[in-house]
Amino acid sequence: MRLVIARCSVDYAGRLTAHLPSAPRLILVKADGSVSIHADDRAYKPLNWMSPPCTLKEGTDEDEGVWTVVNKAGEKLIITMEEILHDSSHELGVDPGLIKDGVEAHLQELLADRIETLGEGYTLIRREYMTAIGPVDILCRDADGGTVAVEIKRRGEIDGVEQLTRYLELLNRDPHLAPVRGIFAAQEIKPQARVLATDRGIGCQVLDYDALRGIEDDKLRLF
């Protein structure tokens, strides 16, 4: 990962245009090729970004200090450097990923075993379906044969919807899976998370942990 702190202005040209005037900012260039620009607020959310696959071209003698990031759709993120305050690179290696707590891990196991909880005709493809940015909790097919990615949380909040959105963006690039829709499943889903999920075309499913555990127990009975 490369971290650059610089006074810069940023212009985005694509489906829409946007301009960030000159100010000190943090620029992250990750190993997957993504570039994001951050201010010293807004928690984790960048001011602007370019998702992979994309290419970064740093300025030559003629346009020194201008970085141009281009994605496969031809959209451009143009960063004009005025003063670089810090520039360092760090090898982070392969991340082991988020380790879920016991309840989330058990919810995933139970839901995979009883995938029809999501709807009649659903079938499991696999648990922990690996992507370039981490594993999708459950990948399955609905009754019509469509691919569905399921993100499971104990408490469903906005960051979980954002995580599923990133998974869907990657999965929908695979012609063997696309189109892929998402389901955000949790014991409790916060209203703001439900609104965001609905706005992005993601379904919401409230999971009853005790009921799933009861279903699991019933499965072991002969009579």
Side-chain angles (χ1 to χ4, degrees), residues 58-98:
E58 296 187 39
T60 60
D61 292 338
E62 296 180 358
D63 56 355
E64 185 179 3
V66 177
W67 289 14
T68 304
V69 188
V70 184
N71 66 12
K72 64 178 182 179
E75 298 169 317
K76 294 182 179 181
L77 191 64
I78 302 169
I79 307 168
T80 303
M81 304 288 191
E82 299 172 13
E83 180 185 7
I84 294 180
L85 307 173
H86 174 85
D87 189 347
S88 64
S89 297
H90 308 270
E91 181 60 52
L92 301 185
V94 178
D95 192 270
L98 179 67

mmCIF file of all heavy atoms in Angstrom, residues 58-98:
data_model
loop_
_atom_site.group_PDB
_atom_site.id
_atom_site.type_symbol
_atom_site.label_atom_id
_atom_site.label_comp_id
_atom_site.label_asym_id
_atom_site.label_seq_id
_atom_site.Cartn_x
_atom_site.Cartn_y
_atom_site.Cartn_z
ATOM 1 N N GLU A 58 1.497 8.403 -13.419
ATOM 2 C CA GLU A 58 2.022 9.610 -12.786
ATOM 3 C C GLU A 58 2.593 10.536 -13.844
ATOM 4 O O GLU A 58 3.038 10.098 -14.907
ATOM 5 C CB GLU A 58 3.084 9.239 -11.751
ATOM 6 C CG GLU A 58 2.529 8.423 -10.603
ATOM 7 C CD GLU A 58 3.537 8.200 -9.499
ATOM 8 O OE1 GLU A 58 4.302 9.143 -9.196
ATOM 9 O OE2 GLU A 58 3.566 7.090 -8.936
ATOM 10 N N GLY A 59 2.583 11.826 -13.556
ATOM 11 C CA GLY A 59 2.982 12.831 -14.524
ATOM 12 C C GLY A 59 4.410 12.689 -15.020
ATOM 13 O O GLY A 59 5.295 12.228 -14.300
ATOM 14 N N THR A 60 4.623 13.085 -16.274
ATOM 15 C CA THR A 60 5.956 13.121 -16.864
ATOM 16 C C THR A 60 6.517 14.538 -16.721
ATOM 17 O O THR A 60 5.948 15.384 -16.019
ATOM 18 C CB THR A 60 5.883 12.726 -18.349
ATOM 19 O OG1 THR A 60 5.030 13.649 -19.040
ATOM 20 C CG2 THR A 60 5.304 11.326 -18.508
ATOM 21 N N ASP A 61 7.597 14.819 -17.415
ATOM 22 C CA ASP A 61 8.211 16.148 -17.329
ATOM 23 C C ASP A 61 7.253 17.245 -17.757
ATOM 24 O O ASP A 61 7.250 18.342 -17.214
ATOM 25 C CB ASP A 61 9.473 16.196 -18.199
ATOM 26 C CG ASP A 61 10.577 15.298 -17.638
ATOM 27 O OD1 ASP A 61 10.510 15.008 -16.428
ATOM 28 O OD2 ASP A 61 11.465 14.893 -18.412
ATOM 29 N N GLU A 62 6.399 16.921 -18.756
ATOM 30 C CA GLU A 62 5.494 17.941 -19.288
ATOM 31 C C GLU A 62 4.350 18.254 -18.335
ATOM 32 O O GLU A 62 3.878 19.385 -18.272
ATOM 33 C CB GLU A 62 4.938 17.490 -20.638
ATOM 34 C CG GLU A 62 6.015 17.344 -21.712
ATOM 35 C CD GLU A 62 5.427 16.889 -23.033
ATOM 36 O OE1 GLU A 62 4.197 16.662 -23.074
ATOM 37 O OE2 GLU A 62 6.183 16.764 -24.005
ATOM 38 N N ASP A 63 3.868 17.238 -17.640
ATOM 39 C CA ASP A 63 2.745 17.454 -16.709
ATOM 40 C C ASP A 63 3.101 16.915 -15.335
ATOM 41 O O ASP A 63 2.336 16.196 -14.712
ATOM 42 C CB ASP A 63 1.464 16.814 -17.247
ATOM 43 C CG ASP A 63 1.635 15.332 -17.541
ATOM 44 O OD1 ASP A 63 2.775 14.828 -17.419
ATOM 45 O OD2 ASP A 63 0.640 14.681 -17.890
ATOM 46 N N GLU A 64 4.285 17.256 -14.879
ATOM 47 C CA GLU A 64 4.757 16.784 -13.582
ATOM 48 C C GLU A 64 3.782 17.187 -12.478
ATOM 49 O O GLU A 64 3.288 18.301 -12.437
ATOM 50 C CB GLU A 64 6.140 17.376 -13.291
ATOM 51 C CG GLU A 64 6.770 16.841 -12.005
ATOM 52 C CD GLU A 64 8.146 17.431 -11.769
ATOM 53 O OE1 GLU A 64 8.579 18.288 -12.575
ATOM 54 O OE2 GLU A 64 8.780 17.036 -10.774
ATOM 55 N N GLY A 65 3.520 16.229 -11.601
ATOM 56 C CA GLY A 65 2.605 16.500 -10.498
ATOM 57 C C GLY A 65 1.162 16.176 -10.798
ATOM 58 O O GLY A 65 0.292 16.387 -9.954
ATOM 59 N N VAL A 66 0.867 15.646 -11.980
ATOM 60 C CA VAL A 66 -0.507 15.275 -12.317
ATOM 61 C C VAL A 66 -0.602 13.750 -12.393
ATOM 62 O O VAL A 66 0.113 13.108 -13.161
ATOM 63 C CB VAL A 66 -0.951 15.886 -13.669
ATOM 64 C CG1 VAL A 66 -2.362 15.424 -14.012
ATOM 65 C CG2 VAL A 66 -0.884 17.408 -13.606
ATOM 66 N N TRP A 67 -1.457 13.182 -11.556
ATOM 67 C CA TRP A 67 -1.732 11.751 -11.588
ATOM 68 C C TRP A 67 -3.060 11.536 -12.309
ATOM 69 O O TRP A 67 -4.047 12.223 -12.018
ATOM 70 C CB TRP A 67 -1.871 11.183 -10.177
ATOM 71 C CG TRP A 67 -0.596 11.109 -9.396
ATOM 72 C CD1 TRP A 67 0.592 11.716 -9.671
ATOM 73 C CD2 TRP A 67 -0.405 10.383 -8.185
ATOM 74 N NE1 TRP A 67 1.515 11.427 -8.717
ATOM 75 C CE2 TRP A 67 0.939 10.599 -7.788
ATOM 76 C CE3 TRP A 67 -1.212 9.579 -7.408
ATOM 77 C CZ2 TRP A 67 1.469 10.035 -6.638
ATOM 78 C CZ3 TRP A 67 -0.695 9.015 -6.256
ATOM 79 C CH2 TRP A 67 0.638 9.238 -5.877
ATOM 80 N N THR A 68 -3.099 10.575 -13.215
ATOM 81 C CA THR A 68 -4.327 10.248 -13.925
ATOM 82 C C THR A 68 -4.666 8.779 -13.704
ATOM 83 O O THR A 68 -3.864 7.896 -14.021
ATOM 84 C CB THR A 68 -4.188 10.516 -15.438
ATOM 85 O OG1 THR A 68 -3.803 11.886 -15.638
ATOM 86 C CG2 THR A 68 -5.500 10.262 -16.146
ATOM 87 N N VAL A 69 -5.837 8.547 -13.135
ATOM 88 C CA VAL A 69 -6.309 7.185 -12.885
ATOM 89 C C VAL A 69 -7.461 6.919 -13.846
ATOM 90 O O VAL A 69 -8.425 7.689 -13.897
ATOM 91 C CB VAL A 69 -6.781 7.014 -11.425
ATOM 92 C CG1 VAL A 69 -7.082 5.550 -11.133
ATOM 93 C CG2 VAL A 69 -5.751 7.559 -10.444
ATOM 94 N N VAL A 70 -7.367 5.834 -14.613
ATOM 95 C CA VAL A 70 -8.384 5.515 -15.624
ATOM 96 C C VAL A 70 -8.909 4.102 -15.381
ATOM 97 O O VAL A 70 -8.121 3.163 -15.201
ATOM 98 C CB VAL A 70 -7.808 5.613 -17.055
ATOM 99 C CG1 VAL A 70 -8.902 5.379 -18.088
ATOM 100 C CG2 VAL A 70 -7.146 6.970 -17.282
ATOM 101 N N ASN A 71 -10.239 3.948 -15.367
ATOM 102 C CA ASN A 71 -10.809 2.602 -15.222
ATOM 103 C C ASN A 71 -11.182 2.036 -16.594
ATOM 104 O O ASN A 71 -11.008 2.694 -17.631
ATOM 105 C CB ASN A 71 -12.008 2.602 -14.267
ATOM 106 C CG ASN A 71 -13.200 3.389 -14.796
ATOM 107 O OD1 ASN A 71 -13.257 3.772 -15.969
ATOM 108 N ND2 ASN A 71 -14.166 3.634 -13.930
ATOM 109 N N LYS A 72 -11.711 0.823 -16.621
ATOM 110 C CA LYS A 72 -11.974 0.144 -17.892
ATOM 111 C C LYS A 72 -13.097 0.814 -18.683
ATOM 112 O O LYS A 72 -13.214 0.606 -19.892
ATOM 113 C CB LYS A 72 -12.328 -1.320 -17.643
ATOM 114 C CG LYS A 72 -13.609 -1.560 -16.863
ATOM 115 C CD LYS A 72 -13.888 -3.045 -16.724
ATOM 116 C CE LYS A 72 -15.203 -3.296 -15.983
ATOM 117 N NZ LYS A 72 -15.487 -4.751 -15.877
ATOM 118 N N ALA A 73 -13.912 1.643 -18.012
ATOM 119 C CA ALA A 73 -14.986 2.362 -18.699
ATOM 120 C C ALA A 73 -14.492 3.686 -19.276
ATOM 121 O O ALA A 73 -15.263 4.419 -19.897
ATOM 122 C CB ALA A 73 -16.152 2.612 -17.750
ATOM 123 N N GLY A 74 -13.212 3.999 -19.047
ATOM 124 C CA GLY A 74 -12.659 5.248 -19.564
ATOM 125 C C GLY A 74 -12.874 6.442 -18.666
ATOM 126 O O GLY A 74 -12.522 7.571 -19.029
ATOM 127 N N GLU A 75 -13.436 6.227 -17.486
ATOM 128 C CA GLU A 75 -13.617 7.326 -16.538
ATOM 129 C C GLU A 75 -12.264 7.693 -15.938
ATOM 130 O O GLU A 75 -11.404 6.824 -15.750
ATOM 131 C CB GLU A 75 -14.600 6.917 -15.439
ATOM 132 C CG GLU A 75 -15.994 6.595 -15.971
ATOM 133 C CD GLU A 75 -16.875 5.951 -14.924
ATOM 134 O OE1 GLU A 75 -16.396 5.065 -14.203
ATOM 135 O OE2 GLU A 75 -18.049 6.342 -14.836
ATOM 136 N N LYS A 76 -12.091 8.966 -15.624
ATOM 137 C CA LYS A 76 -10.792 9.448 -15.159
ATOM 138 C C LYS A 76 -10.896 10.156 -13.813
ATOM 139 O O LYS A 76 -11.850 10.883 -13.546
ATOM 140 C CB LYS A 76 -10.187 10.416 -16.176
ATOM 141 C CG LYS A 76 -9.823 9.782 -17.506
ATOM 142 C CD LYS A 76 -9.178 10.806 -18.438
ATOM 143 C CE LYS A 76 -8.784 10.175 -19.759
ATOM 144 N NZ LYS A 76 -8.130 11.160 -20.665
ATOM 145 N N LEU A 77 -9.891 9.906 -12.998
ATOM 146 C CA LEU A 77 -9.703 10.623 -11.740
ATOM 147 C C LEU A 77 -8.356 11.335 -11.874
ATOM 148 O O LEU A 77 -7.312 10.684 -11.977
ATOM 149 C CB LEU A 77 -9.686 9.646 -10.570
ATOM 150 C CG LEU A 77 -9.764 10.229 -9.157
ATOM 151 C CD1 LEU A 77 -11.097 10.930 -8.949
ATOM 152 C CD2 LEU A 77 -9.574 9.131 -8.127
ATOM 153 N N ILE A 78 -8.390 12.655 -11.932
ATOM 154 C CA ILE A 78 -7.179 13.437 -12.182
ATOM 155 C C ILE A 78 -6.788 14.171 -10.897
ATOM 156 O O ILE A 78 -7.548 14.995 -10.389
ATOM 157 C CB ILE A 78 -7.386 14.437 -13.331
ATOM 158 C CG1 ILE A 78 -7.788 13.687 -14.602
ATOM 159 C CG2 ILE A 78 -6.121 15.258 -13.573
ATOM 160 C CD1 ILE A 78 -8.259 14.589 -15.721
ATOM 161 N N ILE A 79 -5.606 13.828 -10.368
ATOM 162 C CA ILE A 79 -5.128 14.411 -9.119
ATOM 163 C C ILE A 79 -3.963 15.341 -9.443
ATOM 164 O O ILE A 79 -2.936 14.895 -9.965
ATOM 165 C CB ILE A 79 -4.675 13.313 -8.142
ATOM 166 C CG1 ILE A 79 -5.779 12.265 -7.960
ATOM 167 C CG2 ILE A 79 -4.288 13.918 -6.793
ATOM 168 C CD1 ILE A 79 -5.309 11.011 -7.244
ATOM 169 N N THR A 80 -4.129 16.610 -9.150
ATOM 170 C CA THR A 80 -3.088 17.595 -9.416
ATOM 171 C C THR A 80 -2.357 17.909 -8.113
ATOM 172 O O THR A 80 -2.918 18.523 -7.202
ATOM 173 C CB THR A 80 -3.685 18.883 -10.013
ATOM 174 O OG1 THR A 80 -4.406 18.558 -11.200
ATOM 175 C CG2 THR A 80 -2.589 19.881 -10.358
ATOM 176 N N MET A 81 -1.118 17.435 -8.034
ATOM 177 C CA MET A 81 -0.313 17.610 -6.822
ATOM 178 C C MET A 81 0.322 19.003 -6.808
ATOM 179 O O MET A 81 0.957 19.418 -7.775
ATOM 180 C CB MET A 81 0.794 16.562 -6.781
ATOM 181 C CG MET A 81 0.317 15.137 -6.871
ATOM 182 S SD MET A 81 -0.510 14.626 -5.353
ATOM 183 C CE MET A 81 -0.641 12.864 -5.656
ATOM 184 N N GLU A 82 0.146 19.685 -5.704
ATOM 185 C CA GLU A 82 0.800 20.986 -5.524
ATOM 186 C C GLU A 82 1.999 20.879 -4.592
ATOM 187 O O GLU A 82 3.016 21.537 -4.799
ATOM 188 C CB GLU A 82 -0.207 21.992 -4.985
ATOM 189 C CG GLU A 82 -1.390 22.214 -5.933
ATOM 190 C CD GLU A 82 -2.473 23.062 -5.297
ATOM 191 O OE1 GLU A 82 -2.215 23.676 -4.245
ATOM 192 O OE2 GLU A 82 -3.590 23.086 -5.832
ATOM 193 N N GLU A 83 1.866 20.032 -3.572
ATOM 194 C CA GLU A 83 2.966 19.832 -2.629
ATOM 195 C C GLU A 83 2.802 18.472 -1.969
ATOM 196 O O GLU A 83 1.747 18.176 -1.403
ATOM 197 C CB GLU A 83 2.969 20.921 -1.559
ATOM 198 C CG GLU A 83 4.094 20.783 -0.547
ATOM 199 C CD GLU A 83 4.016 21.803 0.567
ATOM 200 O OE1 GLU A 83 3.000 22.540 0.635
ATOM 201 O OE2 GLU A 83 4.964 21.862 1.371
ATOM 202 N N ILE A 84 3.813 17.625 -2.072
ATOM 203 C CA ILE A 84 3.773 16.315 -1.431
ATOM 204 C C ILE A 84 4.440 16.404 -0.061
ATOM 205 O O ILE A 84 5.608 16.777 0.058
ATOM 206 C CB ILE A 84 4.462 15.254 -2.304
ATOM 207 C CG1 ILE A 84 3.667 15.053 -3.604
ATOM 208 C CG2 ILE A 84 4.581 13.933 -1.550
ATOM 209 C CD1 ILE A 84 4.268 14.032 -4.543
ATOM 210 N N LEU A 85 3.664 16.098 0.975
ATOM 211 C CA LEU A 85 4.148 16.201 2.352
ATOM 212 C C LEU A 85 4.683 14.872 2.876
ATOM 213 O O LEU A 85 5.513 14.843 3.787
ATOM 214 C CB LEU A 85 3.013 16.695 3.256
ATOM 215 C CG LEU A 85 2.333 17.996 2.796
ATOM 216 C CD1 LEU A 85 1.116 18.290 3.663
ATOM 217 C CD2 LEU A 85 3.323 19.149 2.850
ATOM 218 N N HIS A 86 4.190 13.780 2.302
ATOM 219 C CA HIS A 86 4.626 12.447 2.751
ATOM 220 C C HIS A 86 4.350 11.462 1.630
ATOM 221 O O HIS A 86 3.316 11.536 0.961
ATOM 222 C CB HIS A 86 3.860 12.027 4.015
ATOM 223 C CG HIS A 86 4.157 10.625 4.449
ATOM 224 N ND1 HIS A 86 5.228 10.299 5.243
ATOM 225 C CD2 HIS A 86 3.519 9.449 4.190
ATOM 226 C CE1 HIS A 86 5.237 8.998 5.460
ATOM 227 N NE2 HIS A 86 4.213 8.454 4.830
ATOM 228 N N ASP A 87 5.273 10.508 1.423
ATOM 229 C CA ASP A 87 5.095 9.480 0.398
ATOM 230 C C ASP A 87 5.824 8.230 0.865
ATOM 231 O O ASP A 87 7.050 8.214 0.959
ATOM 232 C CB ASP A 87 5.655 9.967 -0.941
ATOM 233 C CG ASP A 87 5.309 9.023 -2.098
ATOM 234 O OD1 ASP A 87 4.871 7.898 -1.832
ATOM 235 O OD2 ASP A 87 5.483 9.437 -3.265
ATOM 236 N N SER A 88 5.069 7.190 1.191
ATOM 237 C CA SER A 88 5.696 5.948 1.661
ATOM 238 C C SER A 88 4.905 4.747 1.159
ATOM 239 O O SER A 88 3.704 4.836 0.885
ATOM 240 C CB SER A 88 5.769 5.913 3.193
ATOM 241 O OG SER A 88 4.475 5.906 3.761
ATOM 242 N N SER A 89 5.587 3.621 1.029
ATOM 243 C CA SER A 89 4.957 2.370 0.594
ATOM 244 C C SER A 89 5.201 1.296 1.640
ATOM 245 O O SER A 89 6.273 1.244 2.257
ATOM 246 C CB SER A 89 5.522 1.921 -0.759
ATOM 247 O OG SER A 89 5.226 2.865 -1.769
ATOM 248 N N HIS A 90 4.209 0.439 1.833
ATOM 249 C CA HIS A 90 4.283 -0.594 2.859
ATOM 250 C C HIS A 90 3.700 -1.889 2.312
ATOM 251 O O HIS A 90 2.624 -1.886 1.698
ATOM 252 C CB HIS A 90 3.512 -0.167 4.115
ATOM 253 C CG HIS A 90 3.913 1.180 4.629
ATOM 254 N ND1 HIS A 90 4.918 1.362 5.552
ATOM 255 C CD2 HIS A 90 3.450 2.430 4.329
ATOM 256 C CE1 HIS A 90 5.051 2.660 5.807
ATOM 257 N NE2 HIS A 90 4.170 3.319 5.078
ATOM 258 N N GLU A 91 4.387 -2.994 2.525
ATOM 259 C CA GLU A 91 3.913 -4.310 2.101
ATOM 260 C C GLU A 91 3.088 -4.920 3.237
ATOM 261 O O GLU A 91 3.627 -5.280 4.291
ATOM 262 C CB GLU A 91 5.097 -5.215 1.757
ATOM 263 C CG GLU A 91 4.691 -6.592 1.279
ATOM 264 C CD GLU A 91 3.832 -6.542 0.026
ATOM 265 O OE1 GLU A 91 4.235 -5.889 -0.946
ATOM 266 O OE2 GLU A 91 2.747 -7.171 0.044
ATOM 267 N N LEU A 92 1.784 -5.036 3.035
ATOM 268 C CA LEU A 92 0.908 -5.553 4.086
ATOM 269 C C LEU A 92 0.718 -7.061 3.989
ATOM 270 O O LEU A 92 0.328 -7.702 4.958
ATOM 271 C CB LEU A 92 -0.462 -4.863 4.016
ATOM 272 C CG LEU A 92 -0.460 -3.335 4.160
ATOM 273 C CD1 LEU A 92 -1.893 -2.819 4.196
ATOM 274 C CD2 LEU A 92 0.291 -2.896 5.401
ATOM 275 N N GLY A 93 0.950 -7.636 2.800
ATOM 276 C CA GLY A 93 0.752 -9.069 2.632
ATOM 277 C C GLY A 93 -0.724 -9.423 2.540
ATOM 278 O O GLY A 93 -1.599 -8.555 2.471
ATOM 279 N N VAL A 94 -0.995 -10.716 2.541
ATOM 280 C CA VAL A 94 -2.377 -11.201 2.418
ATOM 281 C C VAL A 94 -3.073 -11.089 3.758
ATOM 282 O O VAL A 94 -2.582 -11.570 4.779
ATOM 283 C CB VAL A 94 -2.401 -12.669 1.935
ATOM 284 C CG1 VAL A 94 -3.832 -13.180 1.865
ATOM 285 C CG2 VAL A 94 -1.720 -12.786 0.579
ATOM 286 N N ASP A 95 -4.222 -10.429 3.749
ATOM 287 C CA ASP A 95 -4.973 -10.245 4.992
ATOM 288 C C ASP A 95 -5.797 -11.500 5.297
ATOM 289 O O ASP A 95 -6.409 -12.072 4.391
ATOM 290 C CB ASP A 95 -5.907 -9.037 4.865
ATOM 291 C CG ASP A 95 -6.485 -8.633 6.203
ATOM 292 O OD1 ASP A 95 -7.560 -9.161 6.564
ATOM 293 O OD2 ASP A 95 -5.879 -7.796 6.883
ATOM 294 N N PRO A 96 -5.818 -11.950 6.545
ATOM 295 C CA PRO A 96 -6.587 -13.152 6.884
ATOM 296 C C PRO A 96 -8.088 -12.931 6.834
ATOM 297 O O PRO A 96 -8.864 -13.874 6.876
ATOM 298 C CB PRO A 96 -6.125 -13.474 8.314
ATOM 299 C CG PRO A 96 -5.683 -12.159 8.868
ATOM 300 C CD PRO A 96 -5.079 -11.419 7.709
ATOM 301 N N GLY A 97 -8.519 -11.671 6.745
ATOM 302 C CA GLY A 97 -9.943 -11.377 6.675
ATOM 303 C C GLY A 97 -10.568 -11.234 8.046
ATOM 304 O O GLY A 97 -9.972 -11.551 9.085
ATOM 305 N N LEU A 98 -11.789 -10.752 8.053
ATOM 306 C CA LEU A 98 -12.516 -10.536 9.295
ATOM 307 C C LEU A 98 -12.916 -11.869 9.906
ATOM 308 O O LEU A 98 -13.495 -12.725 9.232
ATOM 309 C CB LEU A 98 -13.766 -9.692 9.016
ATOM 310 C CG LEU A 98 -14.660 -9.377 10.202
ATOM 311 C CD1 LEU A 98 -13.941 -8.455 11.178
ATOM 312 C CD2 LEU A 98 -15.957 -8.748 9.731
#
